[in-house]
Amino acid sequence: MDLPRHHTIRETSHRIIDPFTDHQLATLGRALRLDPGATVLDLACGKGELLCTWARDHQTVGTGVDLSTVFVAAARERATSLNVDVTFVQGDASSYVAHEPVDVASCVGATWIGGGVVGTLELLGRSLKPRGIALIGEPFWRAGPPNEFLSLPDLVRQLGDAGWDLVEMVLADEHSWDRYVAAQWLNIRRFLDEHPDDELAPAFREELSTGPLDYVTNQRPNLGWGVFALMRRP
């Protein structure tokens, strides 16, 4: 199993596969007050930037799991370049449980692995120490009536109803959304220039023709995203 090619092509230049900047990711790490040696499990870890930079900055150790062979290869290269104690596994994160309970278990931006927020929290909880922290990265609707996503108050309510205390959060902003989404347009354009006859070219051409206007009209002003730190209630 592997991720479809269009995902990895679209995010060729990204190290963080979410609408977070380096600064926001670092802010989250500091907010959690991580101790040296703390253990972290990151499911659907992408290119491993969370694990690698926190290991560098906070001396944590950890494991990342992702379906994409491309992303896992990039994550391993990043860990080697930073000389940090992080392991990456290529495989299906939806059933992965840590061999030993961890201090932090995260799924940042891929709650589909558990069938949604509640199911993903249940999955993360199987790997957590009794007072461990679960991290969930999830979109929410900022403006207008909620559509496929919950509003921020409803999302926070859902987390509480599932039996977890919200203890920290860091939210994306329009700038960090730009750095995630707009950067994809250049990746797509360069791919089209280099591979005009690729089977993905027609769909990418349509995406580049219509995507920017749709983004600035609908997604940028209306869609939020954040990482929520949670501890299970006694």
Side-chain angles (χ1 to χ4, degrees), residues 14-28:
H14 295 59
R15 283 213 300 252
I16 301 173
I17 316 297
D18 291 302
F20 250 19
T21 62
D22 294 340
H23 175 73
Q24 288 163 329
L25 185 60
T27 297
L28 178 63

Side-chain angles (χ1 to χ4, degrees), residues 213-231:
L213 179 59
D214 180 65
Y215 169 70
V216 299
T217 303
N218 299 308
Q219 183 173 333
R220 190 178 195 271
N222 295 319
L223 190 62
W225 190 87
V227 181
F228 304 88
L230 304 139
M231 298 179 70

Side-chain angles (χ1 to χ4, degrees), residues 129-172:
K129 293 179 180 179
R131 289 183 292 277
I133 292 177
L135 299 178
I136 289 283
E138 185 72 1
F140 56 87
W141 206 246
R142 290 173 53 201
N147 195 347
E148 60 182 305
F149 303 111
L150 298 175
S151 67
L152 181 56
D154 286 342
L155 175 57
V156 171
R157 185 177 297 110
Q158 181 186 50
L159 298 171
D161 289 346
W164 296 76
D165 288 324
L166 179 60
V167 296
E168 259 292 1
M169 68 180 188
V170 178
L171 303 185

Side-chain angles (χ1 to χ4, degrees), residues 33-71:
R33 309 170 202 171
L34 299 166
D35 294 324
T39 50
V40 183
L41 172 67
D42 192 12
L43 299 183
C45 66
K47 297 182 182 179
E49 192 71 358
L50 180 153
L51 286 167
C52 290
T53 56
W54 288 4
R56 177 195 64 196
D57 298 340
H58 305 285
Q59 294 75 56
T60 57
V61 297
T63 300
V65 184
D66 201 275
L67 195 60
S68 170
T69 55
V70 172
F71 290 170

Side-chain angles (χ1 to χ4, degrees), residues 194-211:
E194 295 170 7
H195 307 279
D197 299 321
D198 190 273
E199 62 181 357
L200 295 176
F204 273 147
R205 179 69 259 169
E206 175 66 16
E207 181 175 339
L208 191 58
S209 298
T210 62

